[in-house]
């Protein structure tokens, strides 16, 4: 009797979940386990492209994706174009809307929810109509086109002012990149203003005190203003109003504040965290829905034994996906699962023309800075331009990289790793 693993989402978590599941099935088929031939791995997503979401703050976001349909085919993964909008855990099925709007139902034996997250849009007047974002590819493309259009508008303070709403990780990367983008669009001699607004009392509140001095210096060197302890309370076509009462005239406001897990998580019974992520056990299984696993930004998973939880980031999405895929397949094959563990936490923040800041979390996940400025920039470029991209479209390379235990130590595997790159550049792993 055939069985099916359905993976909802084809981002970093969903992509690696599919390859990891297929790898385990293939290995067991080679061992003569007949049941492995009867398990189908299906990925459902709107398109078969891996969006480089960590790069959407950069120019030319339309180029920030890589096709993965050839990788899926090479590895025996079935891809279904569509959007899952309904999950019925009691019936073990999902409902799909295809490109033509037609509905269909697909049953599953194991489900992996890897549908990611989206930026939060609170009930701020004017936010929906006047704010841009870099959350999804279509959002980043819309922003890019808007920025390009500024050159055709009459010069004014509002035209030359961009307000970044939120001074967290994404907000800082967006703000640090903007001076270079605006010079390229408006001219090297253009006078422009980039303002980061952060409601907390410190910029980059989630990154802690280690990287902060380097971030503050970089923003200052780039000419980016920071307004902390105040928030955006309204937006309109000509600017934003802050809770301090200040009005900033600007034709461009970019919202980066807050993120929440896929709304599909609400359809799976079980406890959720403050981001709407499903709380999962060590195997990434949802305890109240035994045939459902969660990965990536949909999963609230313990990363170590000290109470730290996986971040909503690319560095955690891939490993979460590999474990979820492995364990979903392992349960169908009735072989032991492996627990998720990722005690090493790193930060690599792009600071535009000011370089980058690279650090590693200590035992308390407080970031100890390891490299800054232009010496750190190659690390960020390696991550953005090489590390996060999919493997070659052949089974050997893809399965090697999809191994949950893959750490780059095997010289026979050509897929890049951060640890190998750091060692080559003299940064402690």
């Amino acid at each position: 009797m055939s069985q099916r693993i359905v993976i909802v989402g084809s981002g970093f978590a969903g992509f690696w979940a599919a390859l990891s599941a297929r790898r385990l099935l293939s290995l067991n088929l080679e061992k003569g386990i007949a049941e492995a031939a009867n398990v189908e791995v299906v990925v459902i997503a709107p398109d078969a492209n891996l969006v480089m979401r960590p790069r959407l703050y950069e120019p030319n976001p339309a180029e920030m994706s890589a096709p993965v349909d050839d990788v899926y085919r090479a590895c025996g993964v079935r891809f279904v174009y569509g959007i899952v909008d309904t999950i019925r855990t009691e019936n073990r099925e999902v409902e799909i809307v295809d490109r033509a709007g037609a509905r269909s139902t697909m049953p599953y034996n194991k489900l992996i929810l890897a549908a990611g997250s989206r930026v939060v849009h609170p009930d701020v007047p004017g936010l929906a109509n006047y704010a841009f974002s870099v959350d999804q590819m279509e959002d980043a493309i819309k922003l890019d086109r808007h920025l390009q259009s500024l050159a055709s508008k009459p010069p004014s303070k509002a035209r030359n002012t961009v307000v970044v709403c939120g001074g967290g990780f994404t907000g800082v990367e967006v703000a640090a990149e903007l001076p270079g983008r605006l010079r390229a669009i408006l001219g090297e001699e253009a006078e422009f203003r980039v303002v980061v607004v952060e409601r907390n009392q410190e910029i980059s509140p989630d990154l802690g005190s280690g990287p902060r001095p380097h971030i503050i210096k970089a923003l200052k060197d780039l000419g980016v203003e920071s307004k902390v302890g105040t928030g955006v309370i309204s937006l309109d076509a000509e600017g934003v109003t802050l809770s301090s009462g200040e009005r900033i005239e600007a034709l461009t406001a970019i919202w980066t504040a807050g993120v929440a897990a896929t709304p599909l998580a609400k359809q799976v019974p079980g406890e959720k965290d403050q981001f709407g992520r499903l709380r999962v056990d060590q195997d990434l299984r949802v305890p109240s829905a035994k045939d459902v696993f969660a990965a990536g930004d949909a999963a609230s998973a313990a990363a170590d034994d000290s109470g730290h939880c996986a971040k909503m980031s690319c560095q955690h999405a891939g490993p979460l996906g590999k474990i979820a895929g492995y364990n979903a397949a392992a349960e169908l094959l009735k072989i032991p699962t492996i627990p998720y563990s990722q005690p090493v936490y790193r930060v690599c923040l792009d600071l535009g023309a000011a370089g980058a800041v690279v650090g590693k979390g200590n035992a308390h996940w407080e970031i100890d800075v390891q490299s800054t400025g232009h010496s750190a920039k190659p690390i960020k470029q390696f991550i953005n331009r090489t590390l996060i991209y999919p493997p070659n479209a052949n089974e050997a390379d893809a399965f090697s990289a999809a191994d949950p235990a893959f750490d780059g130590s095997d010289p026979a595997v050509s897929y890049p790793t951060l640890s190998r790159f750091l060692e080559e550049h003299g940064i402690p792993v």
Side-chain angles (χ1 to χ4, degrees):
M1 178 179 173
S2 62
Q3 300 185 90
R4 179 183 292 134
I5 299 170
V6 170
I7 301 166
V8 181
S10 186
F12 294 106
F15 174 76
W16 287 111
L19 267 56
S20 180
R22 277 293 305 137
R23 170 188 170 274
L24 184 62
L25 293 168
S26 178
L27 288 174
N28 278 270
L29 189 59
E30 292 175 2
K31 295 176 182 178
I33 308 300
E35 291 84 352
N38 298 322
V39 180
E40 179 186 35
V41 178
V42 180
V43 174
I44 307 170
D47 58 67
N49 290 302
L50 184 59
V51 175
M52 300 298 122
R53 197 178 182 192
R55 299 191 65 183
L56 293 182
Y57 65 93
E58 298 181 39
N60 306 313
E63 301 175 1
M64 304 303 178
S65 69
V68 291
D69 51 345
D70 54 346
V71 184
Y72 285 144
R73 280 195 298 271
C75 295
V77 176
R78 176 185 165 202
F79 185 85
V80 174
Y81 290 92
I83 296 173
V84 171
D85 66 359
T86 306
I87 299 173
R88 301 186 186 94
T89 56
E90 68 278 10
N91 297 332
R92 295 199 305 186
E93 63 182 21
V94 298
E95 195 165 322
I96 308 165
V97 182
D98 69 14
R99 290 170 164 178
R103 288 188 170 273
S104 62
T105 298
M106 180 177 289
Y108 64 81
N109 298 94
K110 299 295 176 182
L111 176 71
I112 301 175
L113 181 59
S117 61
R118 283 192 172 269
V119 69
V120 174
H121 289 93
D123 188 19
V124 175
L127 175 60
N129 294 325
Y130 301 109
F132 296 89
S133 83
V134 294
D135 184 46
Q136 306 294 319
M137 175 169 276
E138 59 268 26
D139 301 321
I141 292 173
K142 182 180 178 182
L143 169 63
D144 191 57
R145 289 173 177 167
H146 167 78
L147 292 175
Q148 296 292 337
S149 75
L150 294 177
S152 64
K153 300 181 184 299
S156 66
K157 286 186 177 180
R159 184 199 74 161
N160 291 15
T161 299
V162 180
V163 178
V164 180
C165 310
F169 193 104
T170 301
V172 168
E173 290 200 320
V174 168
E177 193 72 22
L178 278 169
R181 296 179 73 173
L182 292 173
R183 286 192 187 94
I185 295 166
L186 302 177
E188 289 294 331
E189 304 304 318
E191 294 184 4
F192 56 83
R193 185 184 182 198
V194 178
V195 184
V196 180
V197 178
E198 171 55 52
R199 65 180 179 178
N200 289 286
Q201 296 300 320
E202 300 279 3
I203 202 77
S204 302
D206 293 338
L207 293 180
S209 59
R212 187 171 297 123
H214 306 281
I215 295 169
I216 292 172
K217 181 181 185 302
L219 294 179
K220 183 178 180 180
D221 291 346
L222 293 168
V224 175
E225 300 175 40
S226 298
K227 294 184 180 293
V228 297
T230 185
V232 174
I233 60 171
S234 69
L235 304 91
D236 56 54
E238 298 177 345
V240 303
T241 302
L242 308 184
S243 57
S244 63
E246 181 179 357
R247 168 79 178 175
I248 303 176
E249 300 298 326
L251 296 187
T252 310
I254 306 172
W255 190 266
T256 69
V259 68
T262 171
L264 287 173
K266 298 177 182 177
Q267 299 185 30
V268 178
E271 188 181 355
K272 319 294 191 298
D273 69 4
Q274 70 269 33
F275 302 108
R277 300 183 295 179
L278 285 157
R279 294 196 185 277
V280 294
D281 62 19
Q282 277 191 312
D283 290 340
L284 306 185
R285 186 189 303 101
V286 179
S288 56
K290 295 292 187 180
D291 295 314
V292 179
F293 295 79
D297 288 357
S300 180
D304 59 20
D305 295 328
S306 301
H308 299 113
C309 189
K311 301 281 187 179
M312 299 173 84
S313 69
C314 178
Q315 71 174 300
H316 289 99
L320 284 165
K322 292 178 184 181
I323 295 295
Y326 183 101
N327 286 343
E331 286 200 347
L332 294 180
L333 295 174
K334 296 180 173 57
I335 63 176
T337 56
I338 54 178
Y340 167 71
S341 177
Q342 194 174 353
V344 176
Y345 168 51
R346 298 185 185 278
V347 164
C348 190
L349 182 74
D350 199 342
L351 296 174
V357 59
V358 173
K360 180 181 177 182
N362 59 24
H364 304 290
W365 278 27
E366 297 165 343
I367 300 301
D368 295 328
V369 173
Q370 296 174 300
S371 182
T372 62
H374 297 292
S375 63
K377 191 73 168 184
I379 302 171
K380 183 65 175 182
Q381 291 173 333
F382 167 75
I383 293 171
N384 277 11
R385 300 175 185 179
T386 302
L387 184 64
I388 62 177
Y389 278 74
N392 295 325
N394 66 73
E395 187 178 273
D397 286 353
F399 283 173
S400 294
D403 183 352
F406 174 66
D407 61 3
S409 58
D410 184 354
V413 180
S414 61
Y415 193 72
T417 65
L418 182 59
S419 59
R420 186 185 300 165
F421 184 88
L422 294 176
E423 287 176 348
E424 292 172 353
H425 287 75
I427 297 176
V429 177

